[in-house]
Amino acid sequence: NFIEYYLEEKYNSKNPFWSDQGRKKMIKFSKKNKLVNYSACFNFIIEHPIITKEGEKFVKKAIEISKKIKIKKLILPFEGESELNENNLKIISNKLKLFGDFLAKDQKLLLETSLPKNLIIKLLKLINKKNIGICYDIGNRRIIKNFTYNEIVNLSKYIFHIHLKDKNLKGKNIAIGKENVNFNIFFFLLRKINYKFNFTIESVKGQNIERISKKNLNYFFSLINKKLKN
C-alpha cells in the first residue's frame, strides 16, 4: 500500500521530493492509487557521510520535508563512503542522536547496515533513542560474514521495517525465488518474533515489470499467510 521514496546518491533537483509542486504530484498520485506516504530511503549518504557538513545538512532537510508529507520511516543506508565499523560507532551515534531530536513523534529513523549483530546492538545502545532502530535488509544481511537467520531474533526489538530482496554471493541483486535467501526460514522467524510492521520489495525488474511485480507480491503474500509450525 505504499511506494518507498528514493533520494539518489547525488542530489537530483528533478526528484519530486524536493519541490512543493513535485510533492503535490506525489500526494495526488498516492491518493489516486490508494497509497500512503510511508517510507523514504536517503541513499544520498552513501556518497556523502552524515559526519560531513553536506551529509548532515541533507539529512536534516530531508527530515523536515518528510514531516510535511507525513513519511514515517526514514532509512539511512550505511554503505559505501558511510560504511559503519567498530571504530566510527561513537561519532556516528552522536550525530544520530541529533537527528533523533528533529523527528516528529510518529517518525522513526532506521539504519540499514552490514555490521555484525553485536555491533548493531552496541550502536543502538549508544544512541539510546526509541525513535531510532533498524531497517533489516535480508538480501544484504544474507551475504555478510558469519550470517545466521537466527540473528533476527536477537535484533527483533530494534526492527521497524524490512527490505525484501535476494542477492548472490557476489553481492548482485537477483530475482526473488532464486533462493540464495531462504525466505521460508526468514518468514518463519518473522512469525515467531511476531513482526507487525511493513515490507518494501526491492527486486530486479526483469523484462516485464508488471508481471514480475505481481509474481513477487503473490510469493510474499503466500509466505506472510503461512501458519506458524514448530
Side-chain angles (χ1 to χ4, degrees):
N1 63 345
F2 66 95
I3 296 173
E4 191 163 285
Y5 298 128
Y6 176 78
L7 305 182
E8 299 96 316
E9 286 87 342
K10 299 184 185 299
Y11 175 75
N12 176 13
S13 60
K14 293 182 179 179
N15 188 320
F17 182 89
W18 297 116
S19 68
D20 288 334
Q21 184 178 6
R23 291 191 292 273
K24 287 178 182 177
K25 287 183 178 180
M26 288 163 61
I27 293 169
K28 183 178 180 181
F29 174 86
S30 295
K31 287 182 178 178
K32 179 181 177 181
N33 292 281
K34 298 180 180 179
L35 300 172
V36 295
N37 288 339
Y38 184 77
S39 62
C41 197
F42 297 177
N43 277 46
F44 185 82
I45 74 160
I46 292 174
E47 295 187 5
H48 308 83
I50 63 172
I51 58 174
T52 65
K53 288 184 178 179
E54 189 176 16
E56 180 179 349
K57 181 180 178 181
F58 171 89
V59 173
K60 286 180 178 178
K61 184 177 180 180
I63 289 174
E64 290 304 315
I65 291 174
S66 297
K67 290 178 186 177
K68 293 180 181 179
I69 53 178
K70 299 180 180 179
I71 297 175
K72 295 180 180 179
K73 304 292 175 72
L74 313 177
I75 300 159
L76 295 179
F78 284 93
E79 303 172 16
E81 296 296 317
S82 288
E83 189 160 350
L84 294 172
N85 57 64
E86 194 165 8
N87 296 322
N88 64 12
L89 294 188
K90 183 66 175 177
I91 188 171
I92 295 295
S93 67
N94 289 335
K95 192 66 67 173
L96 290 170
K97 285 179 185 179
L98 294 175
F99 294 153
D101 292 336
F102 284 102
L103 299 176
K105 288 184 179 180
D106 62 346
Q107 285 185 312
K108 280 190 166 32
L109 192 64
L110 305 179
L111 321 181
E112 185 180 326
T113 174
S114 295
L115 277 176
K117 68 176 184 297
N118 62 310
L119 292 183
I120 293 177
I121 294 170
K122 180 179 179 180
L123 174 59
L124 292 172
K125 285 183 176 179
L126 283 172
I127 298 168
N128 194 28
K129 280 187 171 290
K130 292 183 178 180
N131 58 2
I132 297 180
I134 60 174
C135 168
Y136 191 93
D137 187 309
I138 181 57
N140 291 346
R141 297 298 300 173
R142 172 64 183 84
I143 62 173
I144 67 172
K145 187 177 180 180
N146 299 323
F147 167 83
T148 63
Y149 286 96
N150 205 53
E151 71 171 19
I152 199 163
V153 177
N154 305 115
L155 296 170
S156 59
K157 70 177 182 178
Y158 304 109
I159 299 172
F160 296 100
H161 190 52
I162 287 176
H163 281 170
L164 295 171
K165 70 164 172 272
D166 205 347
K167 279 188 169 186
N168 61 27
L169 296 179
K170 294 180 180 179
K172 184 178 180 181
N173 285 11
I174 57 177
I176 299 296
K178 291 294 184 180
E179 291 299 329
N180 184 43
V181 171
N182 188 322
F183 286 106
N184 277 297
I185 292 175
F186 182 59
F187 274 84
F188 171 83
L189 290 169
L190 290 182
R191 291 191 294 276
K192 195 170 182 179
I193 65 172
N194 200 25
Y195 178 75
K196 293 182 178 180
F197 302 104
N198 290 334
F199 304 91
T200 296
I201 299 173
E202 294 188 325
S203 171
V204 292
K205 300 179 183 71
Q207 295 298 313
N208 188 323
I209 297 172
E210 185 174 354
R211 183 181 66 82
I212 293 296
S213 296
K214 288 180 178 178
K215 180 180 178 182
N216 289 340
L217 198 61
N218 289 334
Y219 176 69
F220 286 121
F221 271 133
S222 70
L223 290 173
I224 290 168
N225 292 327
K226 266 189 176 181
K227 292 182 179 179
L228 180 62
K229 295 180 180 178
N230 292 320

